[in-house]
Amino acid sequence: MSKPSRAIRGRVLTFNDDPQTAGSAAHEFIEDGLIVIAGGHIAEVGEAPALLAKLPDSVMLDHYPDGLILPGFIDTHIHYPQTQVIASYGAQLLDWLERYALVEEQRFGDPGHAAAVAGFFLDELARNGTTTAAVYCSVHPESAEAFFAESDRRNTRMVAGKVLMDRNAPAALQDTAERGYAQTKALIERWHGKGRQLYAVTPRFAITSSEAQLEAAGVLLREHPDCYMQTHLSENRREIETVRALFPWAENYTSVYDRFGLLGPRSLFGHCIHLEEGERRLLSESGSVAAFCPTSNLFIGSGLFDLAKARDPAFPLRVGLATDVGGGTSYSLLRTLAEAYKVLQLQDQNLPALEAFYAITLGNARALGLEDRIGSLAPGREADVTVLDAKATPAMAHRCERIETLEEELFLLMTLGDDRAISATYIAGERRHVRSGG
Ligand SMILES: [Zn+2]
């Protein structure tokens, strides 16, 4: 057992369950709390005065008197090669890919470029309080290699994979079923389970993979059952029509992935907006995860994710929340919560603040099946921690004067907050981001 090296003091909030089902017993709040870190893990969490009394003087103490200390945020769907096409104008999904994303991604065969962007991307996540993400790289194995190397150097827990794409894409971005399989296999052997790195087999979506390639993806998952699978599903009407034309034998879009063995509890499906009932059944029965990406769905004009339907007891879906940068418009999971709230408001649904913060911490950890490692502040968990400041801007500080409850403070943070509201971010117990001037 390592000796305590650091302690973080402030107002501590963590979840042990989903407030939507477990109510107020789902969260724990300590007004003057302390998190003690040893060997990159959380050793103790409790009342600050009692824990401080027994800590040796050698322990580094970071005190945030007004700060709200939460588990590091988790993003279940994001593209690291799209940091320079975020905020690209005027297109829906298939045009957006053709005009912007699939042009930009051609740069990532260059390992130097990939490494530089991976560094920027991981810095940007830390600045936004995000400590884990499920990440799409480009089709080039070099892009995944650069990403994992950079993440391993920072000791961040990341899930990532090289995109598989062997048709309906620029020639420079195509692999083949055989090459994609071999490259993925080599990357899994090199990176899956190395330090905090985890691999996701990543067919971009059914339109850009042949049946042979989807078949190979299924083989990879059977050979490596503890790897993830990530892809896109039912985001846009034209996309769905194209899938229908490419796979005339399939009952629906989801059944294409099902046919090749790509559904399951470690499978993450971005968007899931226009699902038919049969698709909900397939996803529900396989324990697959739907990633709700509100800023992207609004920006690309894809549609509104129906959370109530996802919770339908007939076919309940596991749901993760995600930014989907660069179709999404913010790296911030606080901004993402704000847009999720509005997407639900438009459908006469709601998103209470405690449920929202559960979603981007323990909820997303559960979506990734990593709840025994990350997503909560409890002894034994990896020490990924985000410190929030509800008075980050003059408008927020002004609004705070009328705030009386924790729920009101959280709702302010998710409605007006962004990267400016992140005071500090800790990754495996190391402070990797401190807000300047804060
Ligand atoms: Zn995406």
Side-chain angles (χ1 to χ4, degrees):
M1 183 79 191
S2 314
K3 278 200 280 198
S5 55
R6 189 192 279 276
I8 310 170
R9 182 177 186 179
R11 299 158 61 236
V12 173
L13 174 64
T14 187
F15 296 87
N16 55 54
D17 205 347
D18 184 349
Q20 201 250 330
T21 49
S24 60
H27 76 279
E28 293 167 46
F29 179 66
I30 311 173
E31 184 65 46
D32 183 9
L34 193 78
I35 297 167
V36 180
I37 294 166
H41 287 71
I42 295 172
E44 285 187 280
V45 181
E47 299 284 347
L51 288 179
L52 282 169
K54 57 178 192 176
L55 273 191
D57 290 343
S58 60
V59 171
M60 205 182 323
L61 179 65
D62 299 332
H63 191 189
Y64 304 92
D66 262 357
L68 195 56
I69 301 172
L70 277 98
F73 299 158
I74 299 167
D75 187 341
T76 54
H77 182 119
I78 187 166
H79 300 255
Y80 106 81
Q82 296 180 5
T83 55
Q84 291 180 311
V85 286
I86 187 172
S88 289
Y89 175 78
Q92 296 218 340
L93 177 66
L94 299 182
D95 296 326
W96 193 88
L97 286 169
E98 189 180 320
R99 262 196 254 168
Y100 305 119
L102 299 186
V103 176
E104 183 65 17
E105 290 189 17
Q106 294 182 37
R107 300 174 186 272
F108 285 75
D110 170 1
H113 179 73
V117 174
F120 169 83
F121 176 85
L122 288 162
D123 284 348
E124 190 61 19
L125 293 193
R127 255 174 32 74
N128 281 279
T130 299
T131 51
T132 289
V135 180
Y136 287 65
C137 303
S138 73
V139 74
H140 316 91
E142 294 87 349
S143 74
E145 178 65 31
F147 180 80
F148 279 124
E150 200 59 40
S151 173
D152 187 48
R153 206 167 64 74
R154 293 152 194 255
N155 203 16
T156 42
R157 184 166 282 293
M158 289 285 156
V159 178
K162 167 206 127 69
V163 158
L164 297 167
M165 215 163 22
D166 69 348
R167 65 168 170 176
N168 297 324
L173 285 185
Q174 288 188 34
D175 54 13
T176 63
E178 297 75 24
R179 209 161 65 233
Y181 170 87
Q183 291 170 341
T184 298
K185 191 138 186 102
L187 285 163
I188 290 171
E189 278 157 15
R190 194 160 150 71
W191 288 108
H192 184 65
K194 178 167 191 281
R196 303 184 76 198
Q197 311 314 309
L198 296 166
Y199 200 88
V201 176
T202 308
R204 178 176 223 114
F205 63 162
I207 293 177
T208 47
S209 285
S210 65
E211 294 190 13
Q213 181 157 70
L214 294 172
E215 178 82 45
V219 171
L220 284 163
L221 289 171
R222 283 193 292 285
E223 290 172 348
H224 305 277
D226 57 341
C227 281
Y228 292 85
M229 197 290 302
Q230 58 183 353
T231 191
H232 296 85
L233 172 62
S234 197
E235 176 175 3
N236 164 287
R237 300 276 184 203
R238 243 183 77 209
E239 169 207 19
I240 296 166
E241 284 164 25
T242 308
V243 169
R244 193 168 291 139
L246 289 171
F247 302 91
W249 49 263
E251 196 176 322
N252 52 49
Y253 193 165
T254 305
S255 64
V256 173
Y257 295 133
D258 184 42
R259 162 83 159 261
F260 298 105
L262 304 186
L263 272 57
R266 298 174 82 76
S267 296
L268 312 171
F269 291 93
H271 309 298
C272 298
I273 296 173
H274 309 285
L275 297 176
E276 297 168 4
E277 179 151 308
E279 300 186 273
R280 294 182 181 283
R281 182 170 50 76
L282 284 173
L283 292 168
S284 178
E285 288 174 358
S286 61
S288 300
V289 175
F292 172 22
C293 310
T295 74
S296 171
N297 299 159
L298 293 171
F299 182 71
I300 302 189
S302 302
L304 305 177
F305 182 86
D306 190 338
L307 184 63
K309 196 102 194 181
R311 287 173 172 167
D312 181 348
F315 305 119
L317 300 188
R318 295 169 66 212
V319 176
L321 196 70
T323 62
D324 191 29
V325 164
T329 51
S330 175
Y331 295 86
S332 168
L333 280 158
L334 298 176
R335 304 287 337 118
T336 303
L337 288 176
E339 301 310 291
Y341 178 83
K342 294 170 200 170
V343 163
L344 297 174
Q345 280 278 69
L346 283 169
Q347 303 172 90
D348 212 10
Q349 300 177 27
N350 58 37
L351 183 61
L354 281 165
E355 283 179 36
F357 281 82
Y358 160 80
I360 60 172
T361 57
L362 182 60
N364 276 353
R366 284 175 166 179
L368 296 176
L370 290 174
E371 66 272 22
D372 56 343
R373 299 188 191 181
I374 56 171
S376 55
L377 302 173
R381 297 288 185 278
E382 296 166 357
D384 293 342
V385 178
T386 293
V387 184
L388 296 174
D389 173 13
K391 297 175 183 166
T393 68
M396 291 172 77
H398 183 67
R399 174 68 179 90
C400 272
E401 292 172 14
R402 292 282 182 277
I403 276 179
E404 290 172 1
T405 67
L406 175 65
E407 284 90 334
E408 288 173 349
E409 181 181 348
L410 293 172
F411 194 64
L412 166 65
L413 277 162
M414 68 186 253
T415 305
L416 298 190
D418 52 29
D419 53 313
R420 294 169 294 181
I422 307 299
S423 298
T425 305
Y426 296 80
I427 291 167
E430 298 292 329
R431 191 158 67 178
R432 296 290 184 178
H433 165 68
V434 188
R435 189 182 57 196
S436 54

